[in-house]
Amino acid sequence: MPPVLCAICHTERALIKRPKNHQKLCKACFIRIFEDEVHHTITSSELFFRGERVAIGASGGKDSTVLASVLKTLNERHGYGVDLILLSIDEGIKGYRDDSLETVKRNAKQYDMPLKIVGYDELYGWTMDQVVETIGKKGNCTYCGVFRRQALDRGAKMLGIKHVVTGHNADDVAETILMNLLRGDLPRLSRSTSIVTGSDASAVKRSKPLKYAYEKEIVLYAHHKKLDYFSTECIYSPEAFRGSARSLIKSLEKVRPSAILDVVRSGEDMARLVPGATSDSCGCKGKTPSSHASADEDNVGGCGSANGQATGGEMAAMDRQLRENEVAEAANLETEITTTKTTPAPTSTSTSNGHRPDKQRIKERSKPGTPGLPIIPKQKLGTCEKCGYMSSQKLCQACMLLEGLNKNRPEISI
Amino acid sequence: MASIDTTPRKAADDSDIPNISIQVEFSGGLEMLFSSQRRHSLSLPATEQGTPITIASLINHLCNHTMKDTRKELFILDDHLRPGILVLINDADWELEGEEAYELQNGDNILFVSTLHGG
Ligand SMILES: [Zn+2]
Ligand SMILES: [Zn+2]
């Protein structure tokens, strides 16, 4: 077979076939167009402002490594003027993070970015190993998931940073949309399509600059740029349901590569139909403000999954309560809208320990129990009594789990 | 493609078939299924039942001989490479090279990359 030439430069040999449009590209043109598209996402959604400090949630894996590399390139090329730092979470699972944290440390040198590693022990007073010691292996993914969901926000807060970017890609978003569709959870589906999520409660905004990037292209970008990343599996098994959604997405991609972005777009369109919710499509089509969904970010899962798979009666009960919590939060936060163009949020409402007065938190709130939605929030949305994190219950999910843990803390541990 | 010689061969013919040498690499977490070894040098018969050996045969060979892990389904699903695993033939996406039908050449470098592991 004679080599195919690149569709852009017509001189170099094509090495990449783009899943979204079947375009055949050489290495250099692929790298450039990948970066240009992320730049387009960033500018059309107005993700950053000049002088903003942005923490990159860095795991050492492919997505966050590509994100760090691309953001460094674009920040320099287009003069965003943002201050990038790498933020890594150490769950405290002996041996599990060693290699990935080593990778992140190398990335920090390679990209000349400061690195902050925050441990679960610092954030919660418990390492995952200590959690497992106390509750056993059953259901620990639930803990890991809940803790991880808040960890980046809490870590950023410790550093006084108000914006965390994560490496979620189009496949991740499509997978989450499918899962929520299959669960019949439209409010959550709506939130999962947002490129920006955040909550006043945590005062930390989250965004996904790689939302429209195919996982395949992320891997190819990492390969052709020879990026240094680490691949791992959670040592605990991932949630079966998410695994199935993942397989489905990959099988669909195999027969119809555009399916992934099509699911993302369908999700965005469906989100617009959810009462009281707004969603964003690529910012260039229609300049609607992006929705800021709640901070309970369901696609930032523990151990690579959204929620741990609970087993056993006690864990199931715990899980149920967590879900009710989430549903209530979801229903309340759907219409919380702020403009994407973020000005530094006033910090005066935060007290030193992170508690914020309830009434100042939410700018706009939908009437709970919108007709047609079978969701009636049990309680008004508030903040966690203990830590000030957004919560519909007295205690946020993390503090609820911590309370149970602390009761069972073995006497010997200091 | 040249016409395929379908004449049945004697079983002893194996030794007469010249071998080709290829490099196989695993990354993105796949190396965990292959004794945590990234690079594997393989020597394979250049033809199989008279036809040049393809990537499809290589995948079978890897699954049956090179892979010690018992979780075959993480590499092969429904008799094909598991969706979500990328294949680069001398750095080019195998979709540009005919995918499973690609005929292996001496000195080829075949890279399997998983997109399925943690990011
Ligand atoms: Zn080119
Ligand atoms: Zn709390």
Side-chain angles (χ1 to χ4, degrees):
Chain A
M1 238 186 279
V4 183
L5 290 182
C6 170
I8 293 180
C9 67
H10 305 291
T11 42
E12 297 297 316
R13 178 179 167 217
L15 294 179
I16 289 102
K17 186 175 163 194
R18 302 200 71 192
K20 65 194 260 182
N21 55 13
H22 301 219
Q23 201 177 29
K24 294 164 184 171
L25 299 180
C26 74
K27 185 166 127 181
C29 291
F30 165 71
I31 286 172
R32 182 66 197 217
I33 206 167
F34 182 90
E35 291 164 352
D36 286 349
E37 288 180 1
V38 178
H39 174 61
H40 175 80
T41 304
I42 289 168
T43 52
S44 62
S45 301
E46 298 174 50
L47 289 190
F48 304 132
F49 60 85
R50 186 167 297 281
E52 187 174 22
R53 291 179 74 208
V54 177
I56 300 169
S59 66
K62 60 184 178 349
D63 299 307
S64 58
T65 302
V66 166
L67 182 62
S69 169
V70 170
L71 286 185
K72 179 186 171 62
T73 302
L74 295 177
N75 194 29
E76 287 167 4
R77 181 181 298 158
H78 299 285
Y80 293 161
V82 293
D83 196 2
L84 298 167
I85 87 150
L86 298 170
L87 173 60
S88 292
I89 304 299
D90 185 351
E91 295 88 346
I93 301 172
K94 203 168 175 47
Y96 171 56
R97 276 289 170 210
D98 296 357
D99 293 329
S100 55
L101 289 178
E102 283 312 307
T103 309
V104 179
K105 285 176 196 166
R106 287 195 304 275
N107 290 159
K109 286 203 188 96
Q110 289 152 1
Y111 305 142
D112 190 26
M113 284 180 198
L115 164 67
K116 174 71 182 170
I117 299 171
V118 186
Y120 273 15
D121 49 347
E122 275 176 89
L123 295 174
Y124 302 110
W126 287 79
T127 66
M128 269 314 288
D129 280 344
Q130 290 168 335
V131 171
V132 172
E133 244 171 68
T134 307
I135 65 153
K137 283 211 170 189
K138 269 190 179 177
N140 65 71
C141 260
T142 300
Y143 288 79
C144 199
V146 168
F147 287 170
R148 191 180 292 182
R149 211 168 295 148
Q150 292 190 8
L152 283 174
D153 287 10
R154 289 183 181 221
K157 211 163 166 183
M158 272 173 56
L159 302 176
I161 293 178
K162 298 192 184 66
H163 189 172
V164 175
V165 289
T166 56
H168 291 95
N169 57 47
D171 295 52
D172 296 328
V173 175
E175 171 190 296
T176 305
I177 288 169
L178 267 190
M179 285 173 71
N180 289 320
L181 183 69
L182 297 173
R183 282 180 186 137
D185 193 342
L186 278 180
R188 221 183 227 238
L189 183 150
S190 164
R191 274 175 300 136
S192 65
T193 63
S194 308
I195 192 163
V196 179
T197 57
S199 82
D200 288 352
S202 58
V204 174
K205 160 179 151 181
R206 291 268 200 113
S207 68
K208 316 191 245 293
L210 301 180
K211 179 190 168 189
Y212 296 106
Y214 275 76
E215 188 159 58
K216 174 179 171 179
E217 295 203 346
I218 287 172
V219 170
L220 289 175
Y221 184 89
H223 172 76
H224 289 297
K225 282 209 75 164
K226 298 190 167 47
L227 300 185
D228 180 9
Y229 71 93
F230 179 74
S231 314
T232 187
E233 282 174 295
C234 176
I235 53 173
Y236 308 114
S237 58
E239 186 198 8
F241 190 45
R242 179 168 287 269
S244 307
R246 191 61 151 195
S247 298
L248 179 56
I249 285 284
K250 293 296 183 188
S251 301
L252 289 172
E253 181 187 23
K254 182 83 194 144
V255 288
R256 206 168 86 97
S258 66
I260 290 176
L261 274 184
D262 292 341
V263 170
V264 173
R265 289 201 192 94
S266 299
E268 290 171 348
D269 288 345
M270 280 188 274
R272 271 189 281 275
L273 301 175
V274 175
T278 60
S279 177
D280 48 6
S281 54
C282 173
C284 62
K285 336 177 227 168
K287 285 272 178 191
T288 48
S290 322
S291 66
H292 281 225
S294 83
D296 118 69
E297 174 118 347
D298 47 328
N299 53 5
V300 181
C303 311
S305 64
N307 288 302
Q309 198 174 11
T311 41
E314 203 183 319
M315 285 313 301
M318 177 70 87
D319 232 36
R320 245 193 327 274
Q321 198 178 346
L322 289 174
R323 273 200 82 72
E324 280 168 17
N325 243 349
E326 288 177 14
V327 167
E329 284 165 11
N332 267 321
L333 276 177
E334 285 305 274
T335 57
E336 183 195 336
I337 296 167
T338 54
T339 52
T340 327
K341 189 85 179 173
T342 312
T343 46
T347 48
S348 54
T349 51
S350 287
T351 59
S352 54
N353 62 1
H355 283 275
R356 311 184 85 197
D358 273 10
K359 50 188 175 295
Q360 298 190 25
R361 269 183 337 85
I362 305 294
K363 290 183 178 166
E364 192 185 324
R365 198 180 281 171
S366 65
K367 303 269 184 297
T370 315
L373 283 180
I375 293 159
I376 295 123
K378 280 172 29 177
Q379 277 177 255
K380 279 261 156 65
L381 189 73
T383 43
C384 170
E385 278 182 0
K386 268 219 169 107
C387 71
Y389 201 86
M390 177 199 65
S391 173
S392 57
Q393 310 284 322
K394 275 186 357 193
L395 294 181
C396 74
Q397 298 178 11
C399 289
M400 203 166 82
L401 292 176
L402 283 171
E403 195 171 66
L405 280 174
N406 289 332
K407 272 187 212 144
N408 295 319
R409 191 186 281 275
E411 297 303 317
I412 31 152
S413 72
I414 309 274
Chain B
M1 202 192 294
S3 65
I4 298 165
D5 175 13
T6 51
T7 321
R9 310 220 158 203
K10 282 168 276 168
D13 261 6
D14 269 15
S15 52
D16 305 334
I17 300 170
N19 275 4
I20 54 167
S21 300
I22 58 167
Q23 286 287 328
V24 176
E25 274 185 77
F26 299 101
S27 78
L30 273 183
E31 57 273 40
M32 285 179 254
L33 298 179
F34 293 88
S35 321
S36 295
Q37 191 185 324
R38 192 187 156 94
R39 294 175 141 274
H40 296 252
S41 297
L42 293 184
S43 184
L44 297 168
T47 58
E48 206 178 41
Q49 287 158 353
T51 60
I53 186 170
T54 61
I55 289 231
S57 309
L58 171 66
I59 291 168
N60 276 326
H61 178 90
L62 291 171
C63 199
N64 296 331
H65 298 101
T66 316
M67 187 173 174
K68 301 281 183 277
D69 201 293
T70 52
R71 295 171 294 170
K72 307 287 183 197
E73 73 281 1
L74 295 182
F75 192 59
I76 289 189
L77 209 61
D78 302 327
D79 294 328
H80 293 283
L81 189 69
R82 190 188 168 100
I85 297 176
L86 307 182
V87 186
L88 300 188
I89 300 166
N90 303 322
D91 240 13
D93 191 332
W94 77 335
E95 290 180 28
L96 297 168
E97 306 279 349
E99 300 189 42
E100 287 184 353
Y102 172 80
E103 294 169 0
L104 292 172
Q105 313 290 317
N106 193 40
D108 273 350
N109 187 298
I110 313 291
L111 170 64
F112 294 89
V113 199
S114 173
T115 66
L116 302 166
H117 290 75

